[in-house]
Amino acid sequence: MIKVGVWGPGSMGVVALRAVIDHPDLALTDVVVHSQAKVGRDAGELCGTEPVGVLATADPDSLVNSDADVVVYAAAANLRPLEAIADMVSLLRAGKNVVSCSVVPLVYPEAVDNALTQPLADAALAGGSSFFTTGIDTGFANDVLPLALSGVSRSITSIRVTEMFNYATYPDAGAVYEILGFGKPPEFAAFAASPGIFTFGWGPTVHQIAHGLGCEIERIEESVERLVAEESFDTPTGRVEAGTVGAMRSILTGYVEGGRTVVVDHVSRMHDDLAPHWPQPRISMAPRDLGFGGASGRGVYRVEINGSPDILCELELAEDHDHDLGARIAGAARMVNAIPAVYAAKPGLLSALDLPIITGVGLMGIDPGSSPDSRLVGRG
């Protein structure tokens, strides 16, 4: 049994917490929370299952000094990356291996500024520990999936990975309305729409795909476009008024020698009917009727490889027809299922290119029970 602690049971971490509890080869030892409302509560209660005898604490030192072998670090870090890195440095230096989804560019540390990665690398070396960041996007949908598909190509001229997602059911209202800027007037300075932010977060993914194909990115171009809603509508998390931002598209184009390209494309909507000229899913498991019309939470990941042969693959993830929850379960499960490989890896900073294929070892026959409680969100 590998002993595992969880730091930050928020929108992703609460799902990871449930996955750790359910996994037959993992033993939960500690839970660190940021919300005082969660302090003292049983970890099982936090994620919608039976009590497991591990109580949540707001004291990170208890986890740093515990006997956990691996820590799932899932605390929100969009607006606090340096603080999150400092947290993870403390864990690595204490000899804890870390799997995380929090600081998204760290999916490919080689393409991240040394000012961010060197403290992590030094701590991992000092503690003899390993560090791995993953998820779905960034993560499996735009590293393992496109690279695996490239393995049946005879020639490649371009790879494009597109996330098409309706954020109306995403339970973290702060992320949806403040960070992404939905429901805000166009002049609102949304963090996610600020110049360079998408390149900072997803640029390393572009480099990782190229590196996995044996080539290098010469330059990256970024474009961000936002569209307003022409009519007001309600969503499960709030109201989007006419004239406020209802859709956003962010594109990174990485250029390789000879004009070949690696593209990461994010199409984000709050209503299915917005921006109909932008990419839409070709497939869809019919979303459950939430009573909000096109504010459906529909989503899909598409990989397009132009070459010989041309390849198109769409990945859809859903839990009880809830695409948002399905994607978060998959991203959290990717972290948790990687724990044995990260635990066995050599000390240092890892990417998907450094690990063997991650499978669902031990998961056949597990009763999934009820879904993790997606209402338990925030920083954890």
Side-chain angles (χ1 to χ4, degrees), residues 74-161:
N78 287 326
L79 301 179
R80 50 181 289 277
L82 296 181
E83 183 180 339
I85 287 173
D87 291 341
M88 294 186 286
V89 163
S90 69
L91 294 167
L92 293 167
R93 193 170 295 279
K96 315 297 183 191
N97 301 280
V98 175
V99 295
S100 181
C101 60
S102 296
V103 183
V104 294
L106 293 173
V107 293
Y108 190 55
E110 287 190 31
V112 180
D113 191 286
N114 283 343
L116 297 180
T117 57
Q118 198 61 53
L120 292 163
D122 291 344
L125 182 62
S129 49
S130 300
F131 174 83
F132 179 55
T133 290
T134 189
I136 283 294
D137 186 329
T138 59
F140 178 85
N142 51 23
D143 56 34
V144 173
L145 183 59
L147 290 173
L149 291 170
S150 75
V152 297
S153 295
R154 186 176 68 89
S155 65
I156 297 172
T157 57
S158 68
I159 290 186
R160 186 182 202 97
V161 185

Side-chain angles (χ1 to χ4, degrees), residues 1 16 32 36 80 146 165 187 194 215 235 242 319 324 350 374:
M1 298 287 284
V32 172
Q36 286 299 314
R80 50 181 289 277
F165 223 79
E187 59 271 19
S194 301
C215 52
T235 80
E319 176 81 358
D324 162 66
L350 307 171
S374 63

